[in-house]
Amino acid sequence: MKMEEDVYVSERIIKESQLKKFLRENLSTLSIFGVLLAVSLFFGIATGSFLSASNVTNLIIQVAPNVIVAVAMTFVITTGGIDLSVGSILALASALLATLLASGTSLIVAFLAVIAAGLAIGFVNGYVVAYHNIPPLISTLASLMYVRGLALLITGGYSVAIVGENWIIGMGQGRVLGVPFPVILAGFIAIIGVIALRYTRFGNYVTGIGANEESVRRTGVHTKKVKIMTYMLSGGAAALAGLIIAARLGSGSSNIGNMFEMDVIAAVVLGGTSLFGGAGTIIGSIFGVALIGVIKNGLTLMHVSPYIIQITEGLVLLLAVLINVKIFSNKK
Amino acid sequence: MEEHFQIEMRNIQKSYGNIRSLRGVDLQLKPGEVLGLVGDNGAGKSTLMKVLSGVVIPDEGEFYFEGKKVSIDSPRAAKDLSIETVFQDLSLCDTLSVANNMFLGREPVKFLGRLIDQKTLHAKSREHLDKLGIDISSTKLPVQNMSGGQRQAVAIARAMVFDPKVLILDEPTAALGVKEVNMVLELINNVKKKGVSVVLITHRLQDLFEVCDRIMVLNEGKCIDDRLIEQFTLDSLIKSIMGSPDKGVGVS
């Protein structure tokens, strides 16, 4: 019952070279990369120190925690969700780690407790979103508040020093073959993220849920479980990031990570992940993190007022959202 | 000897708020039987089929599969019984590729089940599309850029991938051209020969007379007519759909 071969063997499809196809399919990722290069070049010329080895190293160490969380956030946003609580989880992780270590808890127990706390908050976020159909903006806004409150409660608002040399400190300050450990960890997580989003069933369902959740459910996939898992990923990633920052600074504080969620979400959106869900790119998110990091770092080196930096960041986010909505609403 | 049904639904009831969509519907399907399910808009056809595919859970009702009582309480349960559905809204994920849509939820995996076996995925998708004579240039294309006909073809191909025993087609020809409609009718006749039971919902009444063995008419959530195709004429079928079945022609 084969139909005639030439029914619509698509004269409508324009033949194009592999290169052109690659460019078209990766347009948003390539353009953010282009902007990143241009901005870096600008700061390189405008300031003497931006491209120095020490500044670049410093910059990549600083953005490593953002990369870790942005990778996880890409999964959340690709399902059509959002997680506003990552900044607070980061602070809780940092406060909890320092407090536990100060109370004499063993390293491994403290480490596991911190990660488990992040996963647990993520589970609550995901459960409320998936099983009670509460908009993720609201449910994670609630977490943003109560988790920050928890962190403050634990530390009483003071920072707690982490003393001594141990492997947890090493996670923030150590180097392997000259490469800072946070950077190695971020790179590793990024690679896992790319593979998971593009080449696993989980990644497929994440993208599918963002495109049409009911369709995925009708194929027999437990979509609620998939959604919960994405929030657990972002919660766990935020806890890991908080741990790394605390280890790097040698102290835990309930006051770090203010507006961290905005940095991460801005990066993911800048990178080309659709705010409507259904299309996500890990590589784009990493470029997005890098771009925001470069802008902050470059402007600081230019001795621009921190207020101006914040204004700039806000405008960059606004622009990114405008472009994002324009691109993805056309496709729908 | 008890008659052997492929699938049987008994006393299916479903309400949404104060609307009783299904008010105790029975449905039997023999192996290799093609049943036309018709009725005016809101008669409950799609809801009944969503119940059979596990997408909607009925308030009451029983299912028997090959004579055995079963529960269809999730889409997975229906798939496990080899009940496959082409939904009216097609149920495709726009941003996923043709192949990913066809195998959504049942992707071939490798590396201890960790990774999707892309090669097998695309090869199998291509094989099934070719078998059905569906012309799509690449299985890697996202379905969002495709024509209504191509999207419908992908949805049909998906239902055929895992050798259904019961095939539910809810308006499968709505977006199709003349040639593709014939392809679908031919497909129905082909699977029927293999013993697959088919439920066809369509507004194209002439199609029913080409492929159906029996027609069941729903009206406001109840079955008001259920006869072999020979006992219907186009006129009596229309009367039935309007809600006033005559006693049929040649009813013994």
Side-chain angles (χ1 to χ4, degrees):
Chain A
M1 56 167 162
K2 203 158 162 78
M3 290 164 67
E4 290 152 70
E5 290 288 319
D6 58 352
V7 192
Y8 32 69
V9 175
S10 309
E11 284 169 23
R12 292 172 302 172
I13 291 176
I14 304 159
K15 285 210 176 77
E16 55 185 3
S17 66
Q18 287 293 319
L19 177 67
K20 207 172 160 194
K21 195 174 161 210
F22 174 80
L23 289 177
R24 181 170 55 79
E25 283 175 354
N26 297 286
L27 185 63
S28 68
T29 314
L30 289 170
S31 40
I32 174 95
F33 185 62
V35 173
L36 178 62
L37 283 183
V39 172
S40 303
L41 199 65
F42 168 76
F43 285 125
I45 295 165
T47 73
S49 46
F50 177 78
L51 291 175
S52 70
S54 69
N55 186 57
V56 172
T57 313
N58 185 25
L59 180 60
I60 58 173
I61 292 175
Q62 271 183 5
V63 299
N66 297 54
V67 168
I68 291 170
V69 181
V71 168
M73 184 71 79
T74 306
F75 285 86
V76 176
I77 296 182
T78 304
T79 65
I82 200 145
D83 188 350
L84 296 180
S85 67
V86 289
S88 297
I89 295 175
L90 185 111
L92 178 68
S94 143
L96 189 62
L97 178 76
T99 313
L100 284 175
L101 292 180
S103 74
T105 313
S106 75
L107 293 173
I108 185 71
V109 171
F111 175 84
L112 292 176
V114 165
I115 301 298
L119 292 174
I121 295 161
F123 176 82
V124 173
N125 284 339
Y127 174 78
V128 172
V129 169
Y131 279 90
H132 297 282
N133 292 319
I134 309 294
L137 198 70
I138 302 301
S139 53
T140 61
L141 180 63
S143 314
L144 175 149
M145 293 196 272
Y146 79 75
V147 174
R148 176 75 65 179
L150 273 177
L152 287 163
L153 188 68
I154 290 175
T155 60
Y158 298 103
S159 55
V160 181
I162 301 172
V163 286
E165 283 291 317
N166 55 52
W167 59 265
I168 285 188
I169 291 288
M171 284 185 72
Q173 301 176 1
R175 285 171 184 254
V176 179
L177 301 173
V179 185
F181 185 77
V183 176
I184 293 176
L185 191 62
F188 178 71
I189 285 173
I191 291 168
I192 299 284
V194 169
I195 294 171
L197 187 56
R198 289 183 74 164
Y199 302 108
T200 67
R201 286 182 163 184
F202 174 70
N204 238 5
Y205 303 155
V206 163
T207 308
I209 286 171
N212 190 341
E213 183 172 352
E214 175 64 9
S215 300
V216 181
R217 187 183 79 84
R218 285 180 189 175
T219 64
V221 174
H222 199 322
T223 52
K224 291 183 163 72
K225 207 167 94 186
V226 174
K227 280 165 87 175
I228 289 178
M229 279 173 73
T230 61
Y231 288 93
M232 289 179 74
L233 278 182
S234 60
L240 186 61
L243 191 140
I244 287 174
I245 292 174
R248 192 181 75 215
L249 301 175
S251 79
S253 164
S254 49
N255 298 315
I256 62 161
N258 270 315
M259 304 292 278
F260 176 80
E261 59 281 346
M262 288 306 151
D263 268 2
V264 170
I265 292 165
V268 173
V269 172
L270 265 176
T273 293
S274 169
L275 269 174
F276 301 108
T281 154
I282 302 280
I283 304 280
S285 297
I286 295 167
F287 288 155
V289 168
L291 181 57
I292 289 176
V294 163
I295 289 174
K296 271 187 176 177
N297 177 279
L299 289 177
T300 309
L301 291 178
M302 286 176 76
H303 304 295
V304 172
S305 148
Y307 308 130
I308 301 285
I309 295 179
Q310 190 170 345
I311 292 170
T312 312
E313 256 199 282
L315 292 177
V316 168
L317 175 59
L318 182 64
L319 192 68
V321 171
L322 281 174
I323 295 169
N324 191 287
V325 169
K326 188 136 185 70
I327 291 174
F328 290 104
S329 53
N330 275 350
K331 277 190 182 171
K332 289 230 158 176
Chain B
M1 200 183 96
E2 206 185 323
E3 201 170 4
H4 172 62
F5 291 119
Q6 181 67 49
I7 183 89
E8 191 183 355
M9 302 167 85
R10 281 189 206 161
N11 189 29
I12 303 295
Q13 302 191 25
K14 177 73 191 175
S15 299
Y16 292 99
N18 63 347
I19 296 167
R20 296 179 68 197
S21 290
L22 295 172
R23 301 186 290 161
V25 179
D26 296 332
L27 182 149
Q28 297 96 22
L29 259 181
K30 290 178 204 157
E33 186 181 30
V34 179
L35 172 70
L37 188 58
V38 295
D40 226 336
N41 290 333
K45 308 174 300 258
S46 287
T47 307
L48 186 64
M49 288 306 101
K50 281 182 182 164
V51 167
L52 185 53
S53 47
V55 168
V56 167
I57 310 303
D59 303 329
E60 251 177 77
E62 292 174 340
F63 303 92
Y64 294 85
F65 189 80
E66 294 173 350
K68 269 184 295 220
K69 188 164 193 260
V70 291
S71 77
I72 299 179
D73 52 6
S74 69
R76 173 60 63 193
K79 304 254 168 194
D80 289 345
L81 295 171
S82 298
I83 299 172
E84 295 285 342
T85 311
V86 177
F87 293 98
Q88 188 170 16
D89 62 10
L90 304 184
S91 239
L92 297 173
C93 291
D94 276 348
T95 52
L96 291 181
S97 68
V98 170
N100 274 328
N101 267 294
M102 285 175 66
F103 283 86
L104 193 60
R106 293 181 286 197
E107 298 83 352
V109 287
K110 59 177 183 184
F111 199 64
L112 302 170
R114 295 286 111 198
L115 299 179
I116 295 174
D117 187 345
Q118 302 284 341
K119 225 172 147 183
T120 311
L121 175 77
H122 288 285
K124 274 193 175 175
S125 303
R126 171 52 64 199
E127 186 191 314
H128 279 280
L129 290 173
D130 286 349
K131 208 157 78 185
L132 296 173
I134 295 166
D135 182 42
I136 281 170
S137 61
S138 165
T139 55
K140 290 179 180 166
L141 289 175
V143 296
Q144 64 187 348
N145 301 326
M146 300 192 157
S147 70
Q150 283 178 314
R151 290 162 59 88
Q152 197 138 38
V154 172
I156 293 169
R158 170 166 70 185
M160 295 303 301
V161 168
F162 288 88
D163 290 329
K165 287 182 179 167
V166 177
L167 179 62
I168 302 165
L169 302 166
D170 191 349
E171 297 282 359
T173 54
L176 298 185
V178 180
K179 229 172 210 172
E180 293 102 324
V181 169
N182 287 334
M183 178 202 93
V184 172
L185 297 179
E186 211 176 314
L187 170 77
I188 294 173
N189 278 324
N190 275 347
V191 296
K192 172 189 164 70
K193 278 180 213 145
K194 290 185 204 156
V196 177
S197 312
V198 181
V199 183
L200 174 64
I201 297 178
T202 181
H203 281 107
R204 294 169 48 99
L205 300 182
Q206 69 274 28
D207 292 349
L208 294 170
F209 287 93
E210 287 203 30
V211 292
C212 291
D213 300 305
R214 190 157 60 87
I215 293 180
M216 184 170 149
V217 183
L218 288 186
N219 186 285
E220 299 194 345
K222 276 197 149 171
C223 173
I224 57 163
D225 204 353
D226 187 345
R227 280 182 271 164
L228 294 177
I229 191 78
E230 299 83 39
Q231 296 163 346
F232 275 110
T233 63
L234 196 52
D235 279 343
S236 68
L237 180 58
I238 289 170
K239 267 190 191 164
S240 223
I241 293 172
M242 307 273 280
S244 51
D246 58 26
K247 283 301 145 220
V249 284
V251 179
S252 48

